[in-house]
Every structure is written in C-alpha cells, then in structure tokens.
Amino acid sequence: VCGAPGIGKTSVCREVVRRWSGAGKDSVTVALRGAHGHEALVARLAESLGVDAAAPVAAPGGGRSPYAEARKRVLDDLRGRCESRELLLYLDNFEDPYHASASSREKDGETVGLVRECSKIANLSELISSRDRLDGLFSPVDLGALGRGDSEALFASYWFGEPEHDAAGLGAEEGFSDFVRLRLGSHPLSIILAASQRGRVGSFQEL
C-alpha cells in the first residue's frame, strides 16, 4: 500500500488487519520505522514474533552468522504458525529497511529476498505499507487524495471535534469545497492539521 506521508496507509492497513483478525485469523504487525537495513528487518520480525533470535543453534558443518541464524529462526517460526492456520504478516514502513540497505545486492537479495521467502509459505499473506511504490518488487495499491465528500466530512469531524459531525453546514459556505480540495489537496494529514486549528482561528477562511 503506497502513498505520501500522512495519506492514510497505516490506517488502511490497520483496518485490513482488524477485519482479518475479526474473521478469527491470526495476524502479526511489524513496525519498521527506524529499522535501517536487512539485519534490522530480521531483528524487528524476530521481536514481533517473540522469537529468541540470539539463542545459539548447532549447525552441521560449522555455525552460521548471527544474522543467518536469526533469519532462519524467523522463517521457521512463520512456517510453524502457518501449518494449520492462516496468518497475515503486516510490515509497516517497509521503505526504511529497504532504502537503508547498503547495496542493491542487500536490497534485492536480503531485504526483498526475505519478504519473497515469506510469501512462499503456505497460508501466509503479506501486507506492506511504503511511502515508495517499489515498482517491480510488489503489486502496489496507491492511496491518493480523498473524494470530495470524504475530505469535507473529515475536515468537519476535526473542526467540530465530533467524529460523525455533518459537513453540510460548512459545505454550504462559499469557498469551503475549494479550500479543502485546492488549498489542502484533499490530503488527510493536511485536512487534520488544518481543521485542528479551530481553537486558534474563528473560521476556515482565516486558515
């Protein structure tokens, strides 16, 4: 799920997770903000799954690196969880570990490679949010500006401090629709920040 900061990617994905879980299926959310590189990606996965990635493992023919051990433990844990149940793995802010990878080999071989390895696990579905489209890597769903009705309703809910407040009153005022559409770009974060200023201004025109 792609889009600019504040466009609503996380909110949309959390609603997907909520509905998935509401259907009696398992889900794991992995927050990746500030996770720089493929090793940090594996560490966050291990933490979210409750996997002890640091525990030693006897490996035939010699040991693996701590990163390789952690990666294996994460994948083994996911396979075990999915043996008899469906699981949704939600990776939020995937752009952070992806762009922090030092080389294209790390990006494709380790960071994206791990996600693709997860996608091969039966009964596992992946949901990823990213500011960047990452074309060619995933099947993107772009989030853009809200429609007129939704953007005006969002503004009204924050302007009046009531989630279900009717926007009809504001909508009837001259210039309101153009203000939300042209000045705020019907962008959710812009609308919320602007509408939250009502305590400091008396009308949307003053904004």
Side-chain angles (χ1 to χ4, degrees):
V1 178
C2 315
I7 202 71
K9 301 181 298 296
T10 298
S11 295
V12 168
C13 290
R14 283 176 177 170
E15 177 62 15
V16 172
V17 172
R18 187 189 69 80
R19 295 188 185 189
W20 177 280
S21 301
K25 302 175 184 178
D26 294 337
S27 66
V28 175
T29 295
V30 185
L32 295 175
R33 177 68 57 82
H36 301 303
H38 62 283
E39 292 185 356
L41 169 62
V42 169
R44 291 286 180 89
L45 275 163
E47 180 182 357
S48 299
L49 293 167
V51 171
D52 184 4
V57 172
R64 288 183 288 264
S65 69
Y67 163 73
E69 288 291 358
R71 190 179 191 276
K72 179 182 182 300
R73 285 177 175 272
V74 162
L75 290 170
D76 286 347
D77 182 84
L78 288 170
R79 292 187 184 101
R81 290 170 183 253
C82 295
E83 284 183 354
S84 58
R85 292 180 61 83
E86 290 186 71
L87 174 70
L88 176 64
L89 181 64
Y90 168 37
L91 306 178
D92 189 26
N93 295 117
F94 183 77
E95 72 275 1
D96 278 16
Y98 180 77
H99 286 301
S101 297
S103 66
S104 58
R105 183 192 66 79
E106 287 183 3
K107 283 184 172 71
D108 298 333
E110 299 295 343
T111 309
V112 175
L114 177 58
V115 176
R116 286 180 169 154
E117 191 73 20
C118 291
S119 70
K120 298 175 183 177
I121 299 175
N123 293 325
L124 176 66
S125 297
E126 291 177 292
L127 177 65
I128 299 170
S129 68
S130 172
R131 296 179 182 180
D132 306 310
R133 287 178 55 87
L134 303 176
D135 285 325
L137 303 178
F138 309 110
S139 301
V141 177
D142 292 301
L143 293 187
L146 297 175
R148 175 177 173 177
D150 288 334
S151 58
E152 292 181 7
L154 180 62
F155 186 96
S157 69
Y158 278 85
W159 186 255
F160 294 108
E162 301 173 7
E164 303 299 328
H165 196 284
D166 190 356
L170 278 173
E173 294 191 37
E174 183 177 356
F176 174 69
S177 292
D178 285 344
F179 171 71
V180 174
R181 181 173 59 88
L182 301 177
R183 297 300 299 275
L184 301 181
S186 294
H187 185 293
L189 182 58
S190 298
I191 291 171
I192 292 170
L193 291 176
S196 298
Q197 300 303 308
R198 193 187 184 189
R200 303 174 63 182
V201 298
S203 67
F204 78 84
Q205 289 91 343
E206 292 183 51
L207 287 171

